[in-house]
Amino acid sequence: MNKILIVDDEPNILLSLEYLFKKEGFTVYIARDGEEAMEIIDVDLPEIVILDIMMPKVDGYEVCKYIKEKNEAVKVVFLTAKSKIQDIEKGLETGADLYLTKPFTNKDLITKVRNLIN
Amino acid sequence: MFSNLIIIFFTFGYLALLFAIAWFSELKAKQGKRLSNHPAIYALTLAVYCTVWTYYGSVGRAATNGLEFLTIYIGPSLIAPLWWLIMRKIIRISKVQRISSIADFISSRYGKNITLGGVVTVVCLLGVLPYTSIQIKGVASSFEILQGASSIALLQVVPFYQDTAFYLAIGLALFTVLFGTRDIEATAQHEGMVMAVAFESIFKLLAFLVVGIFVSFFVFDGVVEIFDQAEKAGLSTLFQMKGDGSPTEWFWMSALSMMAILFLPRQFQMSVIENSNERHIDTAMWLFPLYLLLINLFVMPIALGGLVYFPSGSFEADTFVLAFPIAFDQKWLALLVFLGGFSAATGMIIVSTIALSTMVSNNLVMPALLLSKHFQARNQHQLGKILIWTRRLAIFGIILAAYLYYRHVAGQFTLVSIGLISFVAIAQFAPAIIGGIFWKRGARVGALAGIIGGFIIWFYTLVIPTMITTGYIDESLMTEGLLGIGWLKPHGLLGFEDLSYITHGLFFSLSINVMLYGTLSLLANQSSKEHNQAAVFVDIFKHSETMDDVVIWKGQAYLYDLKRLLSSFIGKERTDQVLEEFEKSTGKSLNQNEMVDPALVNYSERLLSGIIGAASARIMVSSVVKEEEITMDEVLGILKETQELKSLNNELNAKSQALKKATEELQDLNQTLRLNDMLKDEFISTVTHEMKTPITSIRAFSEILLEEEGSLSQDESRKFLDIIIQETNRMTRLIDQVLDLERFDSGKQELNLENVAVKSILMQAVNSIAQVIKEKGLKLTVAIELENIEMIMDQDRITQVILNLMSNASKFAQRDIYFQAKINQDQLIVTIKDDGKGIPEEEVPFIFDKFFQAKNQTSKKPIGSGLGLAICKKIITYHQGNIKVERLDGMTCFEFSIPIQFQQTQIKTNEQNSNSR
């Protein structure tokens, strides 16, 4: 069972992702902002984190750095509405393994996340 | 009677006395005390008019023509009252324009014309030379009489080196050079010369009075007895007015002498150039005629006495004055009379020669020399020297020429006849001068043609006959006329044979002169330069103050060049001094490397005019000034242009100010636009970002619903579908808000203004959200402290603001929300408070910006779309109100106010200005 952490401040998006990954057999943790995400990471390190960027309190970049500092092996996927090329570059520079933009196709998202793990 | 030696001793002794007087006065002047600056002295110097012609000649004339000799003195006396009109004007003009001679005056008036100055000089020379020579003749013959030789001297026999007259001439030339060419400035007053001339005037008057008294009261028993005896001798015609013909003669002779007193070079010199104060004229106006009266008092008695006493032929009537003391063996009286005559002669010669030499140097030689650029370049540094030596040589030349003329021609004529011929020559200047100072149209061509025409007639009617008498020309001309044409006889033009030859010559020369002057002036087009001068001359009393300002002048000059030019004439020291004076008097400062202004160029030219004459000065100045000829049209053009330029300049200034303002506005606008553009980009990027969020949810759930149709429970399906609808609503709201804001921004939004009861509107708004707040477990306190008033507002929009603020408050409040409304100073004030943690201070200024989150891209506030407050602000602003946020007693406090007196008209324009797009 792969542990996945999903971080997003939009409840409905969170809900849809939780549903998708649970169905795929993941152990799903959710967090509604960066702070919450970091708390979870401190307690139980997931294999993969799906991360929004624009969130209250602590933004996605901070969380990504935090994770990579803690454990380089944890895969980080940015899933964000920010789709400008500068945003993508910045996201990858921060250490993310994958940068995906909203809105997404469910199948596509799952496939890419799976590929990342294997 | 006297030995040569004694006479010569006294003669040169007299000259030495003149030297002493001149030297002493100049010394005094240097010490600052100018003796000549006295009206009586001025009047006395005018008496240089009385020459040997008066002294000896009047008696001669009276002896042949009777009282007619008086015309020569009646004219000046009659015109004296008019000096105030004419002389004063000429003096003022000459001072202002720094005129150095009569030739300069005329040349100056007619556009500083070289030719005219030259012609006038030549006329003066030819006209005055014989006159000068008769002075020498007068002195020489009186000298010989005194020696005891026959009155008809053996002129041709004695070689010139044995001729006393020659040495006297040289002596006079020396004196003249010494006291007449001291100062290079021809306009400068010759203090020593003036005083010497004044002394001579007194001396000759006294001498003549003494001999008159001697003849009247010692030779005869009073004046009455002389007339009695004369009548007995059949001479009564001489002192009785003849009825026929003579009034004409008297008129013309008086007119002639009127012109002479004004325009004879020596008179001009004394009355104008040497004048130190215009007010002196007032005294001279009566003192000078009085002098003339005194000096003529004994003319008739001496003449008649001579005719009675001396057997005819023993003495020339011209020498009666001297003959009496000799006949009665009054040695010392005779010597006094001789010296009186000598003083009359020297006075005339000295002044006349100075005047002529100035003309020769300034109006003949200098212009000719200066016309050659080559000469100018080579002699730049010694022009001053050349000038002064030209004058000195001219003085010697003129006196020697006069001497030669005396030896070869003048001996054969009476003093008065030659004098009168000179007068007629000088009279030719009258039209050009009188016209020149009273008639602006008077033009150069007219003046030139008039003078030349008059001069030719003068020469033909008055000079040619003298040449016939001396045998140079065949006599047939006199009797048969030119080419045998009868009406071309020199003394009978057009058959006018009844006039005396002087009147005849004067009448014809002056008629031709006036006719040419008038006609050609009327036909001519004056150049601007000429017109300028004409205006200055005619309106001198208007212009003398503001001369430098009225100059119309086109060209440029450097101060350096001008300075060099001035110092080549007056020396460096004086140049600096003069420029300093200019700076002081005008308040303009002169910068070495700068182009000088027209006023200085003009000033320099006038300064030089005083030294080398107007025409030469013009040449000199134009050699350093790159001046362009301007025609009258151009002058008018320039004037007009100046006017136009001035107004154009003003217009341009105003325009450039406006442009500057416009540019600034444009820059501001541009900045605003760029900012707006940036904001717009940001806005769009934010809007799309905000849109993606609901779309993401919608898409995700739609996919789930589609793909897992079978496996989803009904609850799940319903839940997901519900989410989809929620998110769709969210999108709709967002789109509505964006469009709303856009309409407000662009000023297209219109308020639906109505007169409404405020209180009920507020109540409704609060009530509509009270339920939501209650559901969140928050406490809402409402305090609406209003009377039932009505005010104009957009009811829906104000409700929208209230709901928005209340909804925000409910998102942050922990327990309490307050809603207050009141009227304060014509303002409706609505306050919504919550006890939430508040807005960070640094964010307060941006709280009402659209998508405030956009400023802080990565961390999002949990408040709606980020457009709510921006729209609130717009709505309140549209109502001419204010909205603000502050922290009060641990509460976040939003407050808006709108005026009760709402003025609809202003809204939109204000909006459009502050919200540009």
Side-chain angles (χ1 to χ4, degrees):
Chain A
M1 288 279 274
N2 301 102
K3 271 190 244 174
I4 187 164
L5 170 62
I6 302 165
V7 192
D8 204 306
D9 62 335
E10 281 290 329
N12 289 339
I13 293 176
L14 210 52
L15 191 64
S16 66
L17 289 173
E18 187 186 2
Y19 180 88
L20 279 174
F21 282 100
K22 269 190 179 159
K23 247 190 102 230
E24 286 298 316
F26 283 81
T27 305
V28 180
Y29 300 91
I30 56 167
R32 284 177 194 83
D33 56 49
E35 235 171 54
E36 229 177 290
M38 291 198 282
E39 277 166 23
I40 293 168
I41 288 160
D42 287 342
V43 177
D44 192 359
L45 202 65
E47 286 166 68
I48 185 158
V49 180
I50 293 187
L51 200 53
D52 189 14
I53 291 175
M54 283 172 64
M55 293 179 297
K57 295 171 188 169
V58 179
D59 66 35
Y61 299 123
E62 292 299 312
V63 179
C64 177
K65 279 183 208 155
Y66 186 81
I67 295 166
K68 287 294 180 181
E69 267 168 30
K70 197 141 233 185
N71 191 336
E72 184 75 26
V74 177
K75 305 293 181 193
V76 176
V77 177
F78 275 128
L79 183 62
T80 173
K82 291 168 77 76
S83 55
K84 280 189 242 162
I85 190 83
Q86 300 99 303
D87 297 328
I88 297 172
E89 279 171 2
K90 188 178 175 191
L92 294 177
E93 273 167 22
T94 320
D97 300 275
L98 203 59
Y99 193 103
L100 300 175
T101 56
K102 294 171 180 174
F104 52 86
T105 307
N106 297 353
K107 267 187 196 159
D108 185 53
L109 174 66
I110 287 162
T111 313
K112 281 177 176 160
V113 169
R114 282 224 173 278
N115 287 345
L116 198 61
I117 300 170
N118 301 323
Chain B
M1 182 160 204
F2 273 113
S3 75
N4 261 3
L5 217 60
I6 290 175
I7 304 171
I8 289 169
F9 173 78
F10 273 99
T11 307
F12 281 92
Y14 176 82
L15 267 185
L17 182 64
L18 285 187
F19 268 90
I21 289 168
W23 179 81
F24 175 75
S25 335
E26 294 213 334
L27 197 71
K28 275 283 176 199
K30 250 182 222 153
Q31 292 166 358
K33 186 163 168 49
R34 296 198 41 181
L35 300 171
S36 69
N37 193 6
H38 190 281
I41 301 287
Y42 178 68
L44 282 174
T45 57
L46 295 186
V48 74
Y49 182 68
C50 303
T51 64
V52 288
W53 162 2
T54 307
Y55 198 84
Y56 297 117
S58 283
V59 174
R61 187 82 174 170
T64 51
N65 289 25
L67 285 171
E68 195 221 358
F69 79 96
L70 273 178
T71 53
I72 299 308
Y73 309 97
I74 288 170
S77 302
L78 282 179
I79 207 172
L82 281 179
W83 284 354
W84 194 82
L85 188 68
I86 299 171
M87 193 87 95
R88 199 170 65 101
K89 195 165 188 179
I90 294 177
I91 289 174
R92 177 69 69 86
I93 292 165
S94 301
K95 297 295 169 204
V96 170
Q97 294 266 308
R98 290 177 177 266
I99 301 291
S100 60
S101 67
I102 193 159
D104 208 26
F105 189 91
I106 294 174
S107 135
S108 232
R109 161 59 180 82
Y110 298 97
K112 309 193 176 179
N113 184 264
I114 299 169
T115 320
L116 200 49
V119 166
V120 172
T121 302
V122 169
V123 171
C124 283
L125 277 177
L126 293 177
V128 176
L129 200 66
Y131 197 176
T132 312
S133 81
I134 61 172
Q135 309 301 316
I136 297 175
K137 177 191 171 183
V139 174
S141 51
S142 57
F143 184 82
E144 274 149 16
I145 293 166
L146 205 56
Q147 274 182 321
S150 151
S151 67
I152 298 153
L154 305 170
L155 283 171
Q156 267 80 350
V157 183
V158 191
F160 76 89
Y161 50 86
Q162 285 179 11
D163 186 359
T164 325
F166 176 74
Y167 294 102
L168 281 175
I170 297 294
L172 280 176
L174 277 173
F175 179 89
T176 312
V177 166
L178 225 82
F179 290 98
T181 61
R182 273 275 178 83
D183 203 321
I184 187 163
E185 282 182 53
T187 48
Q189 277 129 28
H190 306 91
E191 175 77 13
M193 188 268 279
V194 168
M195 288 309 290
V197 168
F199 168 78
E200 296 206 284
S201 290
I202 296 173
F203 190 86
K204 68 191 173 198
L205 178 63
L206 285 179
F208 198 82
L209 287 176
V210 167
V211 73
I213 289 167
F214 173 75
V215 171
S216 305
F217 300 103
F218 292 89
V219 177
F220 295 93
D221 276 341
V223 180
V224 180
E225 196 211 328
I226 299 177
F227 280 89
D228 283 345
Q229 290 199 21
E231 203 171 356
K232 277 178 210 152
L235 298 170
S236 60
T237 46
L238 289 178
F239 52 91
Q240 281 168 4
M241 292 290 200
K242 276 178 280 180
D244 56 321
S246 77
T248 324
E249 295 289 324
W250 278 61
F251 170 77
W252 284 106
M253 285 300 175
S254 300
L256 181 61
S257 57
M258 280 181 197
M259 293 182 263
I261 190 71
L262 288 171
F263 308 134
L264 273 171
R266 68 173 191 280
Q267 292 307 131
F268 195 87
Q269 180 76 31
M270 295 322 282
S271 60
V272 177
I273 310 299
E274 306 290 350
N275 175 281
S276 51
N277 188 340
E278 277 176 29
R279 308 187 70 92
H280 290 174
I281 297 173
D282 302 349
T283 308
M285 268 160 54
W286 60 266
L287 192 55
F288 178 63
L290 180 67
Y291 184 97
L292 292 183
L293 178 72
L294 288 176
I295 207 163
N296 281 302
L297 211 53
F298 293 106
V299 169
M300 228 37 222
I302 296 172
L304 294 176
L307 287 175
V308 171
Y309 190 84
F310 297 109
S312 68
S314 65
F315 279 104
E316 230 181 286
D318 273 355
T319 58
F320 282 169
V321 182
L322 197 53
F324 273 107
I326 290 170
F328 288 85
D329 208 24
Q330 296 289 328
K331 273 169 63 164
W332 297 105
L333 182 60
L335 190 62
L336 179 72
V337 169
F338 167 74
L339 288 178
F342 183 64
S343 77
T346 50
M348 185 275 173
I349 293 174
I350 290 167
V351 180
S352 193
T353 312
I354 287 176
L356 286 176
S357 74
T358 306
M359 283 190 228
V360 168
S361 72
N362 287 6
N363 295 92
L364 219 54
V365 178
M366 274 327 239
L369 291 179
L370 294 179
L371 274 182
S372 148
K373 288 261 175 275
H374 181 66
F375 172 86
Q376 240 189 76
R378 268 186 41 185
N379 298 290
Q380 185 71 253
H381 305 294
Q382 43 185 6
L383 283 173
K385 232 185 235 168
I386 290 173
L387 183 70
I388 220 147
W389 277 104
T390 307
R391 276 190 211 147
R392 287 173 182 162
L393 286 174
I395 287 171
F396 274 96
I398 290 163
I399 291 182
L400 283 178
Y403 172 76
L404 288 175
Y405 188 88
Y406 143 71
R407 275 182 71 97
H408 296 289
V409 184
Q412 307 186 24
F413 296 92
T414 61
L415 298 177
V416 174
S417 58
I418 287 185
L420 285 174
I421 291 172
S422 284
F423 273 23
V424 177
I426 296 309
Q428 305 309 320
F429 303 143
I433 292 179
I434 300 294
I437 62 174
F438 291 110
W439 189 41
K440 278 187 208 172
R441 284 290 304 268
R444 183 182 58 83
V445 276
L448 196 60
I451 291 173
I452 292 176
F455 181 75
I456 290 170
I457 302 292
W458 168 78
F459 194 81
Y460 184 68
T461 58
L462 296 173
V463 179
I464 297 278
T466 67
M467 293 167 105
I468 291 164
T469 312
T470 43
Y472 289 112
I473 292 172
D474 190 67
E475 210 173 326
S476 63
L477 188 70
M478 287 305 285
T479 51
E480 284 159 40
L482 185 66
L483 309 170
I485 302 167
W487 51 269
L488 281 183
K489 284 186 224 165
H491 281 175
L493 287 179
L494 303 178
F496 283 79
E497 301 201 26
D498 292 337
L499 298 169
S500 80
Y501 70 99
I502 294 288
T503 305
H504 173 268
L506 175 66
F507 174 76
F508 278 102
S509 60
L510 214 53
S511 300
I512 290 287
N513 188 334
V514 169
M515 217 171 63
L516 286 172
Y517 176 71
T519 317
L520 291 181
S521 290
L522 284 174
L523 293 175
N525 261 334
Q526 283 179 327
S527 73
S528 68
K529 224 189 292 172
E530 205 184 329
H531 185 83
N532 215 358
Q533 287 294 96
V536 169
F537 272 53
V538 173
D539 298 329
I540 185 68
F541 293 110
K542 246 192 288 170
H543 285 305
S544 54
E545 304 298 321
T546 52
M547 270 286 298
D548 289 323
D549 298 332
V550 300
V551 184
I552 294 164
W553 186 80
K554 210 164 91 179
Q556 43 185 223
Y558 288 98
L559 181 61
Y560 172 79
D561 293 331
L562 219 51
K563 259 175 109 168
R564 211 189 43 185
L565 175 64
L566 286 177
S567 48
S568 70
F569 282 102
I570 58 178
K572 199 169 158 8
E573 206 177 309
R574 174 108 174 91
T575 303
D576 289 341
Q577 190 191 331
V578 155
L579 291 179
E580 209 175 294
E581 276 166 23
F582 176 81
E583 275 182 321
K584 244 184 244 163
S585 68
T586 57
K588 290 171 178 162
S589 77
L590 303 169
N591 189 324
Q592 187 70 256
N593 298 318
E594 257 176 32
M595 311 295 281
V596 296
D597 70 7
L600 180 61
V601 173
N602 212 42
Y603 179 78
S604 308
E605 188 178 323
R606 284 215 313 282
L607 199 72
L608 283 181
S609 288
I611 299 167
I612 55 176
S616 306
R618 161 99 344 171
I619 298 174
M620 287 313 293
V621 167
S622 63
S623 74
V624 297
V625 173
K626 282 170 202 67
E627 187 176 13
E628 295 153 47
E629 275 291 330
I630 31 180
T631 65
M632 204 55 218
D633 282 347
E634 269 183 291
V635 171
L636 292 176
I638 289 171
L639 283 177
K640 219 169 113 198
E641 247 171 63
T642 320
Q643 286 284 328
E644 276 168 11
L645 269 180
K646 225 171 174 177
S647 59
L648 194 66
N649 200 27
N650 286 344
E651 237 170 82
L652 275 177
N653 264 340
K655 274 205 177 127
S656 113
Q657 284 297 323
L659 265 178
K660 209 170 148 194
K661 214 175 135 201
T663 310
E664 276 166 13
E665 277 171 9
L666 272 176
Q667 271 172 348
D668 284 353
L669 192 64
N670 193 30
Q671 204 156 16
T672 317
L673 277 176
R674 277 219 306 257
L675 195 72
N676 278 353
D677 216 34
M678 222 167 71
L679 288 175
K680 197 113 200 158
D681 277 357
E682 243 173 55
F683 182 71
I684 287 169
S685 133
T686 314
V687 168
T688 50
H689 186 266
E690 289 299 313
M691 303 269 249
K692 279 177 184 171
T693 306
I695 287 173
T696 306
S697 298
I698 292 167
R699 172 154 196 154
F701 284 111
S702 305
E703 279 185 30
I704 291 167
L705 282 168
L706 187 67
E707 278 166 29
E708 311 192 12
E709 212 185 337
S711 59
L712 281 175
S713 72
Q714 193 147 16
D715 279 352
E716 277 178 322
S717 296
R718 184 175 287 276
K719 188 184 168 192
F720 293 165
L721 282 169
D722 201 36
I723 289 171
I724 290 171
I725 292 167
Q726 263 180 45
E727 293 292 338
T728 316
N729 285 341
R730 184 175 163 185
M731 266 189 70
T732 311
R733 258 198 329 273
L734 180 64
I735 289 168
D736 284 345
Q737 282 187 326
V738 168
L739 291 176
D740 238 19
L741 200 63
E742 183 63 16
R743 273 201 301 276
F744 276 113
D745 267 355
S746 64
K748 281 179 200 150
Q749 181 64 46
E750 278 179 24
L751 294 181
N752 182 19
L753 291 168
E754 285 169 311
N755 214 0
V756 293
V758 186
K759 197 166 178 178
S760 69
I761 298 291
L762 297 181
M763 296 287 276
Q764 279 172 30
V766 174
N767 284 338
S768 69
I769 199 165
Q771 190 57 32
V772 182
I773 293 170
K774 218 170 269 173
E775 280 170 10
K776 286 194 174 179
L778 300 168
K779 186 184 167 212
L780 173 64
T781 311
V782 180
I784 300 179
E785 298 154 10
L786 294 173
E787 300 302 312
N788 283 324
I789 59 156
E790 292 198 336
M791 58 187 276
I792 291 173
M793 60 168 66
D794 185 329
Q795 171 181 350
D796 294 344
R797 289 297 181 183
I798 295 296
T799 305
Q800 183 187 349
V801 172
I802 291 168
L803 291 182
N804 198 303
L805 294 177
M806 294 288 275
S807 145
N808 282 352
S810 72
K811 282 178 193 161
F812 294 99
Q814 292 174 339
R815 281 191 308 275
D816 280 316
I817 294 177
Y818 294 88
F819 180 92
Q820 290 173 322
K822 59 181 176 184
I823 300 285
N824 189 8
Q825 288 176 348
D826 302 335
Q827 302 263 326
L828 167 67
I829 297 171
V830 176
T831 315
I832 293 150
K833 293 193 264 191
D834 69 77
D835 59 350
K837 60 182 164 64
I839 302 151
E841 213 172 305
E842 69 273 14
E843 293 179 6
V844 170
F846 311 109
I847 194 90
F848 294 106
D849 289 357
K850 50 196 170 186
F851 293 121
F852 167 62
Q853 297 102 320
K855 301 252 185 280
N856 193 348
Q857 290 275 321
T858 51
S859 68
K860 197 159 74 177
K861 298 286 164 288
I863 315 167
S865 65
L867 291 176
L869 283 178
I871 291 172
C872 285
K873 184 171 170 88
K874 291 288 175 199
I875 292 169
I876 298 301
T877 311
Y878 260 60
H879 280 85
Q880 296 178 336
N882 272 312
I883 187 166
K884 63 181 181 185
V885 64
E886 54 194 349
R887 190 75 180 164
L888 276 177
D889 309 323
M891 309 271 266
T892 305
C893 174
F894 280 86
E895 183 183 289
F896 71 83
S897 60
I898 50 179
I900 297 171
Q901 299 295 325
F902 180 83
Q903 282 159 334
Q904 197 180 350
T905 46
Q906 292 180 358
I907 316 166
K908 274 215 240 163
T909 42
N910 285 350
E911 264 315 293
Q912 267 163 333
N913 287 343
S914 60
N915 293 284
S916 34
R917 50 162 304 167

